Amino acid sequence: MNRKRWSAAIAILLAAAMTLTACGPKKTEEVTKVRIGEVTRSIFYAPEYVAIAKGFFKEQGLEVDLTTTSGGDKTMTTLLSGGIDVALVGSETSIYVQQQGSGDPVINFAQLTQTDGTFLVARKPQSGAFDWNTLKGKTFLGQRKGGMPQMAGEFTLKKHGINPLKDLNLIQNVDFANIPSAFASGTGEYVQLFEPQATVIEKEGKGYVIASFGVESGKLPYTVFMAKKSFIDKNSNTIQKFTNAIQKAQNWVQSASVDEITDTITPFFQDTDKQIISGVVKRYKDQGSFATDGIIDEQEWNNLQDVMQAAGELKQRADYKTLVNNQFAEKAKQSVK
């Protein structure tokens, strides 16, 4: 076979190969796995579950592995040790890590909730507008010292002229998981509770929600997705896709009805009555607890540190630009519709 015929044969083979490649199945886009550790399983985190249930992570080429790491300390330890890639926990934990002198700071990159999520529950119903001064001299069953719920609670009490340590019989030695049952069994005249426990207590007739610590303490980066700086630097594309999925869920939650949100997240709370889930979603939605985007405002960051400082839990104020990276949230807000 002469040179011309060889050239022609090769050309035919190459053309055939190209045709087969074009007609064949397209290469599947690579899926990236992201391990999330949430500090607790809570209706408060509805947009996270929406992002999973609605397939928004999957649309971004992400496969999420969600585990509940039960407690801020454990969540942060798991993140720092490499057991998870992303933590959903209070922003105060990133400040605590910095105060301990970590060489690999934990960076807040997407906010999920923007208020405290607890409510003041009284043993007896209140008539008329609630007067915070009625708490003075009463037994108050609070949250864990140093945790954001307790700090937001103390901040609110002080705002109303109440010194938690002097004006109340403050109980803080009950484990987080046992606080609702302790109150239900007769401990305390008032209690600070997360949902759905507050609504459950109310439906059982053992207490009455009379005020919101979320409304009283103002906007702050209460629950935020965060990761080690080293992880973000090496996986910026993954972090962007992750934030895009959260933004799409936040958009959806803002426009969806309470019933639609309830139907979507109910599979994540199989042991909770659907009516209670609906009531909790409405309460959080009405008071604006679900963040509309992932951007952590500097004013909210400063408010967080005011709360921590008032509780005596802040050695020194943390620099906003050092522990907050809004570039992913800002891009997601602009591009995700």
Side-chain angles (χ1 to χ4, degrees), residues 32 157 172 177 182 199 221 234 319:
T32 303
L157 293 169
Q172 288 183 282
T199 297
K234 293 176 183 177
D319 180 55

Side-chain angles (χ1 to χ4, degrees), residues 85-317:
D85 304 312
V86 174
L88 177 63
V89 66
S91 281
E92 77 281 359
T93 56
S94 66
I95 296 176
Y96 290 148
V97 169
Q98 187 196 45
Q99 289 180 344
Q100 292 169 5
S102 172
D104 190 3
V106 176
I107 306 299
N108 300 264
F109 68 84
Q111 182 170 317
L112 192 73
T113 62
Q114 60 187 8
T115 72
D116 178 79
T118 60
F119 297 86
L120 178 63
V121 178
R123 197 164 293 286
K124 298 178 181 178
Q126 307 290 306
S127 57
F130 173 65
D131 182 1
W132 287 85
N133 285 313
T134 59
L135 291 176
K136 290 184 177 180
K138 301 297 193 300
T139 300
F140 185 93
L141 184 53
Q143 295 283 328
R144 178 180 62 85
K145 188 180 186 304
M148 185 48 65
Q150 178 63 26
M151 289 191 288
E154 290 185 11
F155 183 79
T156 297
L157 293 169
K158 290 174 182 176
K159 186 177 80 170
H160 289 282
I162 299 170
N163 185 322
L165 300 178
K166 294 181 179 180
D167 297 332
L168 304 174
N169 175 21
L170 182 61
I171 300 175
Q172 288 183 282
N173 60 354
V174 179
D175 290 339
F176 174 80
N178 297 326
I179 292 174
S181 58
F183 182 76
S185 64
T187 302
E189 297 165 271
Y190 294 89
V191 64
Q192 181 181 358
L193 287 179
F194 263 105
E195 291 287 16
Q197 288 83 10
T199 297
V200 170
I201 289 285
E202 206 168 36
K203 286 188 175 296
E204 292 175 347
K206 296 177 180 178
Y208 303 86
V209 174
I210 57 175
S212 165
F213 285 104
V215 171
E216 293 290 335
S217 58
K219 288 188 176 181
L220 41 86
Y222 199 84
T223 323
V224 176
F225 288 105
M226 58 186 72
K228 291 188 292 186
K229 185 178 184 300
S230 59
F231 181 86
I232 294 175
D233 290 344
K234 293 176 183 177
N235 302 276
S236 60
N237 190 43
T238 297
I239 293 294
Q240 187 61 66
K241 290 179 178 181
F242 186 99
T243 310
N244 291 346
I246 293 299
Q247 181 64 66
K248 189 166 184 179
Q250 290 172 322
N251 293 346
W252 187 88
V253 167
Q254 288 303 306
S255 61
S257 67
V258 169
D259 287 344
E260 288 173 322
I261 298 170
T262 301
D263 288 342
T264 302
I265 70 171
T266 292
F268 294 89
F269 301 93
Q270 295 184 359
D271 295 330
T272 305
D273 183 85
K274 191 173 181 179
Q275 187 178 1
I276 290 176
I277 296 174
S278 178
V280 174
V281 168
K282 184 179 188 310
R283 186 166 273 161
Y284 282 138
K285 191 173 171 67
D286 287 349
Q287 72 177 31
S289 288
F290 304 131
T292 57
D293 57 60
I295 298 172
I296 302 163
D297 298 327
E298 188 167 6
Q299 183 177 349
E300 294 179 356
W301 181 259
N302 290 333
N303 189 32
L304 168 75
Q305 296 195 86
D306 288 342
V307 169
M308 295 177 69
Q309 202 161 25
E313 298 293 342
L314 190 64
K315 292 180 182 178
Q316 60 182 19
R317 295 181 79 86

